[in-house]
Amino acid sequence: ANTAPVAFGAIGIPIITAGALTGIDYRHIGAIVGHQTPVIAVFVPFIIVLLADGWKGLRQTWPATLVFGVVFAVAQWVSATWISVELTDIIASL
C-alpha cells in the first residue's frame, strides 16, 4: 500500500533532495509529483483487496475501496499542491 506515497518519503526528503540537487524549487517538484501519484493511489486499494480476497471480495467491497482510493488521492493532490510537501502523506493518510 506504500506505492503512491513512497515518492514523498519521510517528511518529503526525496523531494527536498531532488530540489537541492537540481536547483529547482522543491515545492514545484512536489506539486508535479503530487499530480502524478494520485492516479496510482486510486488503484492501490483495488489491488490490495484483489490480492487479499480475490474477485469475489472485490465485487463486494468496490464502493468502499473506490471511496478510500479517491479520498486518499484527492487529499494527496491538495496537500502536495497547496499545503506542504513535507506533510503530504500524513495529511492524505489521515
Side-chain angles (χ1 to χ4, degrees):
N2 203 18
T3 57
V6 79
F8 291 93
I11 2 177
I13 296 297
I15 304 294
I16 294 169
T17 303
L21 292 174
T22 61
I24 302 170
D25 183 24
Y26 76 91
R27 290 178 293 270
H28 179 68
I29 296 172
I32 291 172
V33 172
H35 292 173
Q36 295 171 352
T37 56
V39 176
I40 299 167
V42 170
F43 296 106
V44 171
F46 287 97
I47 295 168
I48 292 171
V49 171
L50 183 63
L51 290 173
D53 203 21
W55 290 104
K56 181 180 179 185
L58 187 59
R59 278 193 305 273
Q60 294 172 345
T61 62
W62 75 266
T65 305
L66 180 64
V67 169
F68 297 149
V70 168
V71 167
F72 183 87
V74 167
Q76 189 178 36
W77 187 85
V78 168
S79 178
T81 304
W82 292 306
I83 299 174
S84 168
V85 171
E86 296 87 356
L87 299 175
T88 296
D89 292 329
I90 296 169
I91 291 170
S93 296
L94 291 175

